[in-house]
């Protein structure tokens, strides 16, 4: 019987699960839809059968690590932010769920922090102990490693709010209550609203699409769609500006860019490098800017690392 | 003969010097004007007589600590930023100057970092090891203490660029090359320019003043001058927005606000507290927000602390 960890990455649209050994090698995986409106408690109960099926009879589950898109109290294993996809998540006893079903320990951490740890241990952050990670997906996530330690802060939000950095202090109110957040200006969730702010947007092919994505924004832009080009440029400018602020804040050795939007990394990374070169105080080659390598399971591998060092002393 | 340190705080308008014992008690002080246009080398040579006079025959100089408004390579004791008041500062051999005249060691550090250390050891930061310091003066300085250690970063700029955080990503180019920096929107050096952007500014009493200061902005505003009121509000909003971004970035236990503009702390601190409460992700009482105590010599006391721990093992 193999001793395994279970990693769960609760994304905005998909829930990714995997069994990993203590070396963070992925043994089996299962992806399911993240149904909207389900409470956190219900969501977790619904996963039990999937998890038992994944573990099967040849593995023994030793611990669970959840990567979650929100502000997480790592010590008491609570979800602190209220604006998350799963209602009542902040009131749910998450370690109690693991205890009840399998009598095993559980850890939960912010998903950008988990992805950072995964990239650090197994991806493009190997050998580098001072890293800023930024993920561009449904929103914009971020996390910081300083001297090989996660920066968490007094209220567990240090480093995680890159997407809610205000870069337009007299701009629109974001869904978080702050003004002019990077996410409000450039993210998948705000894409439709931002499209509709561009004059003549109805002339764009994007207007006909059922679900807008940055992939189609980049494609339409390169096909000569002017509206898409404007949307692309505004998004790249907003990300760059937020990222320069973050680079100034932490002055890391390396910036790792991850998340689904990095499918278009050939356009994104050179743009950000150029902006950093033009606008930031960083000296030439002051910071390495690279794409994430372990895009799909970095968060799960990061949770595996945390289980190893926090609980099992592996 | 008393063994003493010399602290030098090279401000934008004044150079403050003091002799301190190893407990950072101030024995004697001397303030002089920071003449514009003098090269750093010339400036330092001109200080030699003042310094020897200050030391006199009853003290023995053991080390010098300089707090400087710029990006500083603390290890190799070099000024890295080029946009400073003293031409050629980045080419000057500063420890060589101390060696030549007194054969003693010298340290140099960013002035906001030095002030933070002074406040931590002897002011409103006592007993707290996670501090964000923001100084509002000619510009806006900032520095960060994490777990009792200064955050310096790979290129020595971590934490120091709060004033050059972009909060208006499509705004005006700052003198630093970045866009929409907090300082461009609200600082003493940008005050006149910002006044002139307000419609009807010539009707304000401020327009008649020879040298604009925030002191007069606050005074005129409370006397019912509408233009001054607008300038005050825009400045408070810009500082608050930048500070919220910094609080999110580091999530410290305490924010200490210092610098000359904090003369008006009765107006500034409540405004910032309210904005943090309204706009930030911090929980209620998530961060203490206080005014600096050691406003005048905090930087010198901070350099004394660095001389103690880095060189003399006191």
């Amino acid at each position: 019987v193999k001793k395994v960890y279970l990693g769960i990455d609760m994304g905005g649209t998909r829930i990714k699960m995997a069994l990993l050994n203590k070396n963070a090698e992925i043994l089996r995986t299962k992806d399911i839809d993240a149904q909207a409106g389900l409470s956190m408690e219900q969501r977790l109960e619904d996963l039990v059968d999937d998890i038992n099926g994944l573990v099967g009879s040849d593995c023994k589950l030793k611990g669970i690590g959840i990567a979650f898109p929100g502000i997480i109290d790592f010590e008491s294993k609570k979800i602190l932010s209220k604006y998350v996809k799963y209602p009542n998540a902040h009131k749910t006893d998450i370690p109690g769920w693991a205890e009840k079903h399998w009598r095993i320990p559980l850890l939960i951490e912010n998903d950008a922090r988990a992805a950072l740890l995964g990239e650090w241990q197994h991806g493009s952050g190997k050998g580098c102990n001072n890293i800023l990670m930024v993920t561009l997906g449904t929103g914009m996530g971020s996390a910081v490693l300083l001297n090989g330690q996660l920066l968490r802060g007094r209220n567990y939000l240090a480093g995680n709010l890159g997407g809610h950095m205000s870069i337009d202090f007299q701009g629109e109110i974001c869904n978080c209550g702050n003004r002019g957040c990077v996410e409000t200006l450039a993210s998948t969730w705000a894409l439709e609203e931002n499209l509709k702010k561009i004059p003549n947007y109805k002339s764009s092919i994007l207007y006909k699409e059922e679900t807008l994505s940055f992939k189609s924004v980049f494609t339409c832009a390169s096909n000569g769609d002017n509206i898409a080009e404007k949307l692309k440029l505004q998004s790249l400018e907003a990300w760059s500006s937020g990222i320069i602020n973050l680079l100034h804040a932490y002055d890391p050795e390396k910036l790792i860019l991850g998340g689904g939007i990095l499918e278009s990394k050939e356009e994104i990374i050179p743009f950000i490098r150029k902006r950093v070169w033009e606008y930031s105080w960083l000296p030439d080659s002051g910071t390495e800017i690279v794409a994430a390598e372990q895009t799909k399971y970095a968060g799960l591998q990061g949770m595996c690392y945390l289980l190893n060092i926090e609980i099992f002393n592996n």
Side-chain angles (χ1 to χ4, degrees), chain A:
Chain A
V1 177
K2 275 177 276 187
K3 293 177 184 172
V4 294
Y5 295 144
L6 172 72
I8 309 178
D9 195 336
M10 305 192 89
T13 45
R14 302 282 291 169
I15 296 177
K16 290 178 282 190
M17 297 197 290
L19 296 186
L20 306 97
N21 64 20
K22 68 173 183 181
N23 301 319
E25 286 156 357
I26 288 159
L27 309 176
R28 286 174 210 147
T29 65
K30 186 171 178 85
D31 282 24
I32 56 175
D33 272 332
Q35 286 171 261
L38 222 53
S39 78
M40 184 69 179
E41 217 174 315
Q42 195 52 53
R43 178 70 279 180
L44 288 174
E45 286 307 321
D46 282 6
L47 290 179
V48 171
D49 285 348
D50 287 319
I51 292 168
N52 287 332
L54 200 59
V55 174
S57 55
D58 59 333
C59 290
K60 171 118 184 79
L61 205 52
K62 300 297 287 177
I64 298 179
I66 300 182
F68 193 89
I71 304 299
I72 309 296
D73 178 338
F74 180 73
E75 267 82 29
S76 70
K77 304 172 179 70
K78 284 201 174 116
I79 294 167
L80 299 179
S81 48
K82 286 170 193 165
Y83 311 101
V84 293
K85 184 149 180 147
Y86 307 96
N88 280 330
H90 59 288
K91 290 183 185 160
T92 308
D93 175 10
I94 300 167
W97 165 78
E99 179 60 32
K100 184 174 89 179
H101 291 285
W102 303 280
R103 299 192 172 276
I104 55 172
L106 173 145
L107 293 179
I108 181 163
E109 184 50 285
N110 170 274
D111 57 351
R113 286 201 191 120
L116 166 52
L117 291 174
E119 283 294 323
W120 175 43
Q121 291 294 308
H122 306 283
S124 55
K126 265 185 241 171
C128 175
N129 285 336
N130 293 285
I131 300 174
L132 165 65
M133 172 112 198
V134 171
T135 59
L136 302 175
T138 312
M140 171 171 155
S142 62
V144 176
L145 189 79
L146 292 177
N147 302 318
Q149 300 282 330
L150 281 181
L151 178 68
R152 289 195 172 100
R154 181 181 180 187
N155 306 285
Y156 301 98
L157 45 78
N160 284 163
L161 293 177
H164 293 282
M165 171 167 280
S166 173
I167 55 167
D168 187 11
F169 81 116
Q170 290 173 324
E172 283 182 45
I173 296 283
C174 174
N175 58 16
C176 80
N178 201 352
R179 240 178 227 286
C181 297
V182 179
E183 277 198 14
T184 322
L185 292 152
S187 69
T188 304
W189 69 258
L191 204 44
E192 196 177 321
E193 250 177 276
N194 284 319
L195 170 64
K196 290 185 176 165
K197 276 177 207 145
I198 300 175
N200 259 325
Y201 68 92
K202 289 185 181 173
S203 69
S204 169
I205 303 166
L206 292 173
Y207 181 60
K208 279 132 213 151
E209 303 213 355
E210 216 167 298
T211 327
L212 268 181
S213 72
F214 272 101
K215 195 174 181 169
S216 55
V217 173
F218 279 95
T219 307
C220 291
S222 66
N223 289 337
D225 186 313
N226 283 334
I227 308 291
E229 181 62 34
K230 273 185 192 156
L231 197 52
K232 176 184 121 178
L233 189 64
Q234 182 197 299
S235 305
L236 287 169
E237 282 178 351
W239 292 327
S240 301
S241 176
I243 282 168
I244 290 170
N245 284 347
L246 292 170
L247 289 174
H248 285 170
Y250 308 110
D251 192 6
E253 296 171 63
K254 194 176 270 196
L255 162 65
I256 302 177
L257 287 158
I261 298 175
L262 266 284
E263 274 185 41
S264 309
K265 65 182 170 192
E266 284 74 16
E267 297 219 49
I268 295 172
I269 298 222
F271 188 97
I272 290 173
R273 280 195 188 130
K274 186 162 176 283
R275 282 281 159 143
V276 168
W277 188 77
E278 286 174 344
Y279 286 179
S280 89
W281 285 51
L282 290 160
D284 301 350
S285 22
T287 315
E288 222 184 315
I289 300 177
V290 298
E293 279 171 20
Q294 302 294 330
T295 42
K296 193 151 186 207
Y297 295 111
L300 304 185
Q301 294 184 309
M303 292 314 298
C304 178
Y305 171 81
L306 283 176
L307 285 162
N308 274 333
I309 62 157
E310 298 283 339
I311 296 182
F312 295 97
N313 298 310
N314 285 329

